[in-house]
Structures are given as C-alpha cells and as structure tokens.
Amino acid sequence: MEREVDVVVLGGGPVGENVADRARAGGLQTVIVERELVGGECSYWACIPSKTLLRSAAALRAAQRVPGAAEAITGSLDVSAVLRRRDYWVSDWTDTGAVGWLDSVGIELERGTGRLDGPRRVVVDRPDGTEVTLIARHAVVVSTGSDPVVPPIPGLAEARPWTSRDATSVQDPPARLAIIGGGVVATEMATAFAGFGTEVTVLVRSRLLGGFEPFAGEAVAAGLRGLGASVRLGVEPTKVERTAAGEVVVTLDDGSTVTADEVLVATGRAPRTGAIGLDTVGLEPGSWLDVDETMLVRGASGDGDWLYATGDVNHRALLTHQGKYQGRAAGDAIAARAKGAPVDASPWGVHAATADHTAVPQVVFAEPECVAVGLTEAAARDAGIDVRVGDVAIESASGAGILADGYDGRARLVVDAGRGVVVGATFVGQDVAELLHAATTAIVGEVPVDRLWHAVPAFPTVSEVWLRLLEDLGRPEVAA
C-alpha cells in the first residue's frame, strides 16, 4: 500500500509535534509516524516526570526555610503521593490526550515504526503486521530523539542498570542508588531520590555539571551532600557486578567499592538513527545528522530540499525547548519552500534556528537550582572575546532574604566588552529558574548593558540581583 502526502514526520514527541503543527498551519497535509506514545520522551520519561518527582521535596525544603511555615510542617515527604502525582502528569503513560490534540488540528497519525526507503519514501511497519509506504511530496523530517548510552564498563550491561526512563518511572524507590555520571540527569535524579530518603552515591569522573560555570557544580555537590548523598569526584568505575542477592557492586579505579540496590547510568546519549534507513539516502546509520540553519540535512541523496532533522538527532542542543524551536523554524521553512515563497535563513531570520549557537537556556532542577544561558566566562575567553564579568551573591537582593532565611546563591553575567552586550549568564540558588528568561532575552536582543540600567527590577524581588550585577560591572561613563 502506498499513498502520497505533503510532509512525513518521523517521531511524535514535542519536537515532531511542533514541526507538524507549523507545516499543517502552512496548509500542508502532514502525517506523524510514532512507534510508542505521542508526546514522546519528554512527556512520559524525561522532563515532565523528572520535574514532578523533584517538585514536592523542593517545596518542602522551601517551606522549612521560612519561619512560620516551618513550624506548620509536622510530617515527612509522602513519597507515595509524589509518585501518584507523577502518574497523573504522565497520564498513566497513555497518550489519549495527545492523540486527541493531533486530531483536533488535523494532523494524521500513523502508528508504527517508520524507516526511510530512498528519497521521500517512508515505510511504516504497523503494530498489526501490515505495512504502508508514505511518499512525501515536500519533506520528510527526522525527529526520532536519542537514547541513553551505557558505557563499556565490564559487567555494567549484564548488571541490568537503570537508565533515565527507569528512574523517572520508578514505582518503588530503592533504599540505595548509585549514579554513574555528573551531568543534568545525574544531579537531578540524585536530588530527587535523596529527597525520597534513598541513600544516594554519585560517582563522577571529573566535576558536576561540566558545561556550567564551576561554581554551579560546586554548589550542587554541597547541596547534595546536605541532603545526605555521597558525591565522589575524580573516580571511574572499572567493574560492575549484580550479585546473586540482587545487589549491585561498583568497583572504582581507586580500589574502593560501592554497593547499592540499583545503579543509574547517566553518561550521555546517542541518536535514534540506527534503524531508520539512513543508508538508503546516502547517510550513515546511527549518526548524528548535520543540518543547516533551517534544519535541512546536508548530504542526503535525492532531488531538492526534502530531508530535515530536528531535535536531539542533529546534536545542536539536546533540550526539548530548543528542539521545539527548531521544529517551528523547520515547519515554517518547509511550508515556505512548498509554496515557492522566500526563505529567510539569515541570522535571526524567521526560518533560522540561530539561538542554538548563542542563547540556549538550561535549567537544572537540583539542590540548589542552576540555570544558565549563553557562554561561560571560560568559553567566552576561549572564543577570543574581551570579557567583563559581573559576580554577586544573590542574597544581596532583599527579595532573596524574604524568600528564604539563610538564602545562599550566586549570579554571574558575562559581557562582551567590545560590543557592550551580555553573552552569558548563570544563576545558582533557590527558585532561580524564573530569572533565566530575562537573561535569554538580553542575549537574543543584544540589549546594550548601558540600556539595561533602565530596566528597573521591582522591589523587593529576587530580580533586583540584576541591579547588583550591573553595579558590579560598573556604571557607564558619561560622555563629556
């Protein structure tokens, strides 16, 4: 069975949904091919369940830092209630609501496993054993996401390790959990399970949150230890064994061992492109897909601009919000090209995902929260930028002290002195996530630092830390 459609999207996660929605809004008949749940990794096994698991303990800790509220707390965290709330937010791992949304906006769904079969051709193996071939008049979009990588540590694969999916869908938190890795998944899951009362041990080859300013990882290490977790830096597992009793024993390169009930691997991800037929269009199976600013894949065989890749698979920024942003740009570009309309792929053009390079915001919902956008100080200097840095304690803003007794946080702005604009920002502390978008806006808009003095933060809010940062950078000179 074959049929023609305008656009085929491989993958029905948030990224694929955004591509399909924009292409559909441009008047194109669009089909999503999804083998699991519409809504994808983020909705059921990543962003949504992980943040839900973290929220209750964070709220409890926040209340404990405010006299009056602290005295009203008479019990401990109800872990069962946390898990029930998680189940609600993932819709008990059903996608009825997401499928209903597709229907409501006119996007077709093909349930099954899709693979390329030459240019513009997608074969779908349906659950009932039948097969359909979709022929795309205008575009095929790969939005299949990524999978966790299990490193080749002797015995690790045989020990049946957890990946992020196991951690976020947990039904019975273990008494002891070892975590291999020091990135976002590792630190967030360490925070969540420590909040449940699990004995957590984090095993890190170098430092926590290596892509952030060093003080961010240092703060999270201290925060995790404050929750009772063990954070071991500068160690590497050399062997992992699951014993007959069901315990996991991790042997480290310093000769010591860690014994736990489960071991979570959080050491990176690989693209889900190994079985989607890339070889039929001249590309390497299992590879990251190289794209231009409109998400067109470079090097694919076939006539015209037809193959796109959005989200994790293009390796530009492995974050749901950036993938959705890419999806909007790609969907609009596909619709424009289908109509023969101009495509604006210039920097910050309507069809270009320019922010992937300069303004990628990220929130780590650890203890404490760490948020960043743009360049770190070191990255800016490595890029040859003449750097000015503003550094202040967040508690220098009155709103922080009102938010929580004993508030402890830090903020940094990285400024390109030559252009007089912010190129990076980092905030570490309780509830700093909502400070991030202002920094993202300043970077994307290239707002002159001198003009930021006129963006007056309300008193008494934590946002007054922006004024403290500008004061640390110094007032602008008055022209003679």
Side-chain angles (χ1 to χ4, degrees), residues 67-161:
E71 288 77 8
I73 298 170
T74 58
S76 58
L77 187 73
D78 187 334
V79 177
S80 295
V82 174
L83 299 180
R84 287 195 300 272
R85 186 168 187 258
R86 184 272 319 274
D87 292 348
Y88 167 81
W89 275 97
V90 299
S91 303
D92 291 309
W93 289 279
T94 62
D95 62 0
T96 304
V99 173
W101 176 79
L102 293 183
D103 291 339
S104 73
V105 299
I107 298 170
E108 298 180 47
L109 172 64
E110 271 287 353
R111 293 273 191 190
T113 301
R115 67 183 188 281
L116 293 165
D117 185 32
R120 301 178 185 271
R121 295 174 60 86
V122 174
V123 176
V124 182
D125 296 315
R126 293 166 164 167
D128 64 3
T130 62
E131 181 181 284
V132 62
T133 298
L134 304 174
I135 302 172
R137 300 183 189 97
H138 298 293
V140 175
V141 187
V142 179
S143 300
T144 48
S146 63
D147 285 315
V149 171
V150 177
I153 299 168
L156 178 58
E158 293 76 15
R160 304 183 304 280

Side-chain angles (χ1 to χ4, degrees), residues 79-80 83 162 170-176 193 196-198 261-262:
V79 177
S80 295
L83 299 180
W162 276 10
V170 66
Q171 298 298 322
D172 185 16
R176 300 168 297 175
F193 280 86
F196 296 159
T198 295
D261 300 296
E262 301 292 348

Side-chain angles (χ1 to χ4, degrees), residues 5 10 43 72 85 123 129 258 263 270 279 294 316 345 359 361 385 390 402:
V5 298
L10 287 175
S43 300
R85 186 168 187 258
V123 176
V258 174
V263 56
D279 55 313
T294 67
R316 286 164 66 105
I385 296 173
I402 295 171

Side-chain angles (χ1 to χ4, degrees), residues 16-86:
E17 288 174 325
N18 271 260
V19 179
D21 190 38
R22 296 309 304 158
R24 186 265 329 156
L28 301 181
Q29 179 192 11
T30 305
V31 178
I32 281 180
V33 179
E34 176 54 54
R35 65 185 177 89
E36 291 187 294
L37 299 177
V38 176
E41 197 79 19
C42 178
S43 300
Y44 305 102
W45 299 286
C47 316
I48 296 300
S50 64
K51 277 52 181 180
T52 308
L53 291 176
L54 285 156
R55 177 57 190 157
S56 298
L60 180 60
R61 291 192 295 269
Q64 289 170 334
R65 295 177 183 131
V66 183
E71 288 77 8
I73 298 170
T74 58
S76 58
L77 187 73
D78 187 334
V79 177
S80 295
V82 174
L83 299 180
R84 287 195 300 272
R85 186 168 187 258
R86 184 272 319 274

Side-chain angles (χ1 to χ4, degrees), residues 193-475:
F193 280 86
F196 296 159
T198 295
E199 180 185 310
V200 174
T201 303
V202 185
L203 306 171
V204 191
R205 182 169 55 186
S206 54
R207 63 181 178 90
L208 294 181
L209 301 178
F212 286 68
E213 297 281 9
F215 65 81
E218 292 165 4
V220 171
L224 286 172
R225 289 172 177 137
L227 295 179
S230 172
V231 180
R232 300 189 58 179
L233 306 177
V235 296
E236 287 194 68
T238 58
K239 184 176 68 173
V240 180
E241 180 185 8
R242 176 81 68 171
T243 69
E247 295 181 326
V248 179
V249 180
V250 182
T251 302
L252 304 175
D253 57 358
D254 63 2
S256 64
T257 61
V258 174
T259 301
D261 300 296
E262 301 292 348
V263 56
L264 166 63
V265 178
T267 54
R269 301 185 70 84
R272 287 186 191 134
T273 60
I276 63 168
L278 290 184
D279 55 313
T280 69
V281 295
L283 300 172
E284 182 182 351
S287 65
W288 302 103
L289 297 177
D290 182 35
V291 297
D292 70 7
E293 291 303 285
T294 67
M295 306 297 111
L296 266 173
V297 176
R298 296 185 175 100
S301 60
D303 296 331
D305 300 330
W306 71 274
L307 184 62
Y308 294 73
T310 54
D312 284 10
V313 291
N314 62 38
H315 210 226
R316 286 164 66 105
L318 277 67
L319 295 161
T320 297
H321 45 274
Q322 292 302 124
K324 292 166 68 174
Y325 163 68
Q326 295 168 12
R328 294 189 292 272
D332 288 342
I334 290 166
R337 287 182 172 122
K339 298 173 183 175
V343 173
D344 183 2
S346 62
W348 306 112
V350 67
H351 303 114
T354 310
D356 284 349
H357 308 296
T358 59
V360 175
Q362 186 166 9
V363 179
V364 184
F365 290 88
E367 172 60 29
E369 285 182 356
C370 299
V371 307
V373 60
L375 299 174
T376 62
E377 179 185 359
R381 295 190 189 281
D382 288 345
I385 296 173
D386 180 13
V387 171
R388 293 170 59 207
V389 175
D391 259 318
V392 298
I394 294 180
E395 54 269 28
S396 62
S398 299
I402 295 171
L403 181 70
D405 279 10
Y407 194 102
D408 184 16
R410 185 171 173 183
R412 171 173 288 180
L413 286 186
V414 180
V415 173
D416 181 334
R419 294 191 297 138
V421 296
V422 178
V423 294
T426 299
F427 302 91
V428 175
Q430 179 183 320
D431 297 336
V432 294
E434 300 305 331
L435 293 173
L436 184 59
H437 195 60
T440 305
T441 302
I443 294 173
V444 170
E446 298 181 333
V447 181
V449 173
D450 291 356
R451 180 60 63 86
L452 287 175
W453 281 91
H454 298 280
V456 182
F459 178 85
T461 65
V462 180
S463 290
E464 277 199 301
V465 73
W466 277 88
L467 179 55
R468 304 285 90 84
L469 284 164
L470 293 172
E471 290 169 343
D472 192 63
L473 287 164
R475 287 284 297 184

